[in-house]
Structures are given as structure tokens and as C-alpha cells.
Amino acid sequence: MSKRKSSIITAGLLASALFAASPALMASNSTGKHGGGHHGNQRDMTEMCEDMREGKGRFDQAERQAEMAERQEAMAERLKLTDKQREIWNEMHEENRQKHEKRMKKMQDKMKKRCDNLKK
């Protein structure tokens, strides 16, 4: 067999071995950002439940709404909207905010149930 053919075959085998090994590495039981094992994220859930009860972190709605309003205002300035366009712009964002609040209410109800079950 020529050197060229053996190099191609070796490269193919190496690539196949790497692809075959990658799922095994991804499925390892390591404790990373999302936890590892069957109950690896239990601690994360308790922290998230505490944050939800206290209204801090990702559950601080006033801070998040202020940031969003600031970004929307900056975008409106960059777009150089007229008064009529800005009125429509604000109506659109208010509708989106109401839809978001509705989804968040459902999510928070589910989260409360999960946190209550976690206590038990």
C-alpha cells in the first residue's frame, strides 16, 4: 500500500475514533454548570427557589423592566422615530410586555409548585 493511501486511511480512522468518543465525553457524569448525575442540580434549585421568594437575581422584575425600557428608548433614539411612530412603538412594546407578564405568571406558578415539592 502506498504512503498516501495509508495516510488517508489513518486520518479516517482517527476522525472516526474522535467522533465515536465525543458522545461518551459529553455524557460523562461531571459536575458542570447544569450539575451532574441524577440529582446534580438539587442545590441549584434550592438557590433558585430562595431567589424567587426574595425577588432577587433573575426574579427582580423592577430592575429587568427598567433595563428593558432603557434599551427600548435607546433603540427608538437610534431609529429617530417621529412622535406618531414613537406612540406606535410604545404600544407595541406595551403589548409585548403584557404577553411576557402573562407567560411569566404561568412560569412562576409552576416554579412555586416545584419549590413547594422541593421542601417536602
Side-chain angles (χ1 to χ4, degrees):
M1 197 170 1
S2 70
K3 185 162 182 136
R4 182 173 179 254
K5 284 184 181 180
S6 63
S7 295
I8 291 172
I9 291 173
T10 305
L13 288 173
L14 181 61
S16 297
L18 289 173
F19 284 127
S22 63
L25 291 175
M26 296 296 241
S28 68
N29 190 10
S30 63
T31 55
K33 180 179 178 183
H34 300 290
H38 186 63
H39 295 287
N41 64 353
Q42 196 75 24
R43 184 177 53 91
D44 295 338
M45 272 301 290
T46 55
E47 289 175 12
M48 195 171 355
C49 289
E50 289 173 13
D51 288 349
M52 185 188 72
R53 286 186 203 102
E54 296 171 8
K56 65 179 187 178
R58 66 188 332 184
F59 297 98
D60 185 4
Q61 295 301 318
E63 181 181 333
R64 292 174 66 112
Q65 285 180 359
E67 290 172 0
M68 183 65 72
E70 195 175 300
R71 283 195 302 267
Q72 290 170 358
E73 184 63 30
M75 178 66 79
E77 288 296 321
R78 285 195 305 267
L79 293 172
K80 298 176 181 159
L81 300 176
T82 64
D83 291 339
K84 181 69 174 172
Q85 289 171 331
R86 184 153 313 215
E87 185 180 317
I88 294 169
W89 173 269
N90 290 335
E91 287 174 9
M92 286 173 29
H93 285 286
E94 181 62 27
E95 288 174 11
N96 288 338
R97 190 185 61 74
Q98 289 173 356
K99 288 177 186 177
H100 178 71
E101 282 182 5
K102 193 175 183 180
R103 287 192 312 268
M104 286 299 292
K105 173 111 175 76
K106 288 180 183 179
M107 188 187 79
Q108 286 179 348
D109 290 343
K110 287 181 184 180
M111 188 70 182
K112 285 178 186 175
K113 287 179 185 177
R114 290 178 73 185
C115 289
D116 291 342
N117 290 337
L118 188 63
K119 286 182 186 178
K120 296 176 184 176

